[in-house]
Amino acid sequence: MDDERRTSVYDAQLAQSIGYRVDAPEGQLGVVRKVPHAGRPPRPLTLVVSDGNMVRLVSLCRVAEVEPFERRIILRPEGVAASPRDGRTLKAA
């Protein structure tokens, strides 16, 4: 899969991730409440994640995997971020 197509699949998966559980090495962070977009064409900027008590903005650079069938996003450890176009693991929707 070429980089442009991989990026568009990744963007589409993130755009549809509202309600997905967000898991990090430190535990479950909560659920995706919003995915703000910007640019031309519009692309996801960040994940707005809430656990009911706290709202967090999660950098897309922390996303390791998007699992549409499990409705789950898996994050890398903090400080181990990668470029949004690094070829992160994607699972087919």
Side-chain angles (χ1 to χ4, degrees):
M1 186 180 296
D2 66 3
D3 286 342
E4 187 173 322
R5 177 152 183 218
R6 181 180 313 229
T7 298
S8 73
V9 168
Y10 171 73
D11 287 354
Q13 287 180 337
L14 286 174
Q16 298 172 12
S17 69
I18 294 172
Y20 283 24
R21 186 177 80 212
V22 179
D23 293 330
E26 59 270 22
Q28 183 177 341
L29 295 186
V31 175
V32 177
R33 299 294 180 196
K34 190 173 184 179
V35 183
H37 287 69
R40 288 188 186 183
R43 298 203 50 217
L45 292 175
T46 189
L47 299 175
V48 179
V49 177
S50 173
D51 64 3
N53 295 319
M54 183 185 323
V55 176
R56 295 179 171 98
L57 298 178
V58 177
S59 169
L60 298 183
C61 293
R62 282 200 65 199
V63 175
E65 293 185 40
V66 179
E67 299 181 340
F69 293 117
E70 292 84 9
R71 296 184 51 81
R72 180 170 81 144
I73 293 175
I74 300 172
L75 302 180
R76 292 179 175 84
E78 287 193 67
V80 184
S83 164
R85 296 181 185 210
D86 73 342
R88 66 187 82 242
T89 303
L90 297 175
K91 294 198 175 182

